[in-house]
Amino acid sequence: MRKDVDRTPDGIKLHAPEDFAGMRAAGALAARILDEIAPHVAPGVKTGELDEIIHEKIIEAGATPATLGYRGYTKSSCISINHVVCHGIPGNPVPKTKSETISRDLEKRRDDDRLLTGDVLNIDVTVILDGWFGDTSRMYVAGKPKGPASRLIDITHEALMRGISVVRPGARFGDIGHAIQSYVEGERCSVVRDFCGHGLGRVFHDSPSVVHYGRSGTGPEMRPGMFFTIEPMVNLGRPETKILDDGWTAVTRDKSLSAQFEHSVGVTEDGVEIFTLSPAGRFHPTWDR
């Protein structure tokens, strides 16, 4: 049996070359499930129903939903709608949004978790497959997005890919944050600072904390064998968030729209490998335009 992975002085694990296979399999499964949930995202569908479908697909694949039971969380995914930044609980009523950032037909108070036309939502899935964690999230739209929402989705997707583009041996984690922040703020949006990416592998959350803002040339140095997520949350308004009474759901304080995309990646000898690429090319909700 191989000894535990090495760690850098910063406490970041350095995985062996053979560990990439486990991350590829787990990441591919999580990405495939997000591909397969796409046709089910539509007006009138309940988020609780989406979570049930996700749960069944994970179990059928011989994997385990990592969020189920994690620190008391009771669902197999997180579904965050409109101004919910992250950790939205499937089955819970959708929080009221703000008419300035999305159409007035979504401003009415909802009594359940049913999607309405124009809703934008992030679905976050993490699977455990053969002991490896595959973690990814992407944006979806119930119907067609309104102008501001479509623009926010595009900016957030581009921000993620710019962050990934700087990952390579010798780069610094601050380079990721700088690439994301400079682009997002240049588009007159804001980067959420209260949540970040994280190391993973055979554990759900590990070092390093991957913040999505900062200065280039700062932070720990990247080395081959590091596995982590990059998952910027971008708001149309201000970056501040608050946690609702359920203890999980994070929303924008000004009720402006929020979006998020997430990939799990590994540092290779000469660059980066994305473990959670969409098998069907559906990572962006406008994939079929």
Side-chain angles (χ1 to χ4, degrees):
M1 179 178 293
R2 181 172 69 84
K3 70 179 181 65
D4 193 17
V5 293
D6 294 328
R7 287 185 182 266
T8 70
D10 299 295
I12 304 172
K13 288 180 181 176
L14 299 175
H15 297 83
E18 58 266 28
D19 294 338
F20 279 74
M23 290 299 291
R24 288 184 196 114
L29 173 59
R32 191 192 83 203
I33 289 169
L34 289 186
D35 281 355
E36 294 174 351
I37 200 65
H40 300 277
V41 178
V45 175
K46 293 185 175 182
T47 59
E49 295 170 350
L50 295 175
D51 185 73
E52 291 174 1
I53 295 170
I54 290 168
H55 178 85
E56 291 173 1
K57 290 183 178 295
I58 294 173
I59 299 303
E60 289 172 358
T64 302
T67 57
L68 187 61
Y70 179 75
R71 296 183 178 178
Y73 193 78
T74 60
K75 302 294 181 177
S76 296
S77 64
C78 295
I79 301 180
S80 304
I81 301 175
N82 295 335
H83 74 292
V84 177
V85 176
C86 60
H87 304 156
I89 303 174
N92 279 12
V94 180
K96 187 177 180 181
T97 190
K98 186 178 182 181
S99 59
E100 284 85 351
T101 56
I102 203 163
S103 60
R104 288 188 179 276
D105 63 323
L106 298 185
E107 193 176 8
K108 66 180 182 179
R109 186 173 300 279
R110 314 183 201 209
D111 296 323
D112 60 19
D113 61 323
R114 216 174 288 273
L115 296 175
L116 298 180
T117 300
D119 276 335
V120 294
L121 56 151
N122 176 273
I123 301 181
D124 191 338
V125 167
T126 306
V127 303
I128 311 171
L129 181 65
D130 297 328
W132 295 99
F133 285 72
D135 187 0
T136 184
S137 79
R138 66 181 80 156
M139 296 299 295
Y140 299 82
V141 182
K144 291 189 178 296
K146 306 302 178 182
S150 181
R151 176 175 175 270
L152 177 65
I153 289 170
D154 286 342
I155 290 169
T156 308
H157 179 266
E158 178 66 17
L160 169 65
M161 301 316 293
R162 290 190 181 212
I164 292 173
S165 72
V166 303
V167 176
R168 63 181 61 87
R172 300 279 179 171
F173 278 91
D175 300 342
I176 298 173
H178 175 75
I180 292 170
Q181 181 185 12
S182 60
Y183 170 70
V184 168
E185 293 181 352
E187 294 292 330
R188 304 182 305 284
C189 293
S190 65
V191 177
V192 171
R193 288 159 166 74
D194 296 332
F195 302 96
C196 62
H198 53 88
L200 80 169
R202 287 192 174 274
V203 295
F204 197 169
H205 295 98
D206 203 349
S207 297
S209 294
V210 184
V211 298
H212 305 114
Y213 60 94
R215 293 184 296 113
S216 60
T218 64
E221 181 179 341
M222 298 180 210
R223 293 172 57 181
M226 291 181 174
F227 299 159
F228 50 88
T229 69
I230 304 176
E231 46 185 296
M233 288 144 271
V234 177
N235 299 342
L236 274 180
R238 294 185 56 80
E240 293 84 6
T241 69
K242 66 177 180 180
I243 307 296
L244 300 186
D245 291 341
D246 59 33
W248 286 100
T249 306
V251 300
T252 55
R253 283 191 173 273
D254 62 4
K255 292 190 177 181
S256 63
L257 284 181
S258 187
Q260 179 187 19
F261 285 91
E262 175 185 15
H263 271 315
S264 294
V265 304
V267 183
T268 66
E269 292 294 332
D270 57 1
V272 61
E273 178 175 348
I274 302 175
F275 298 126
T276 47
L277 289 172
S278 164
R282 298 183 179 183
F283 190 67
H284 191 287
T286 56
W287 61 275
D288 58 349
R289 283 194 297 201

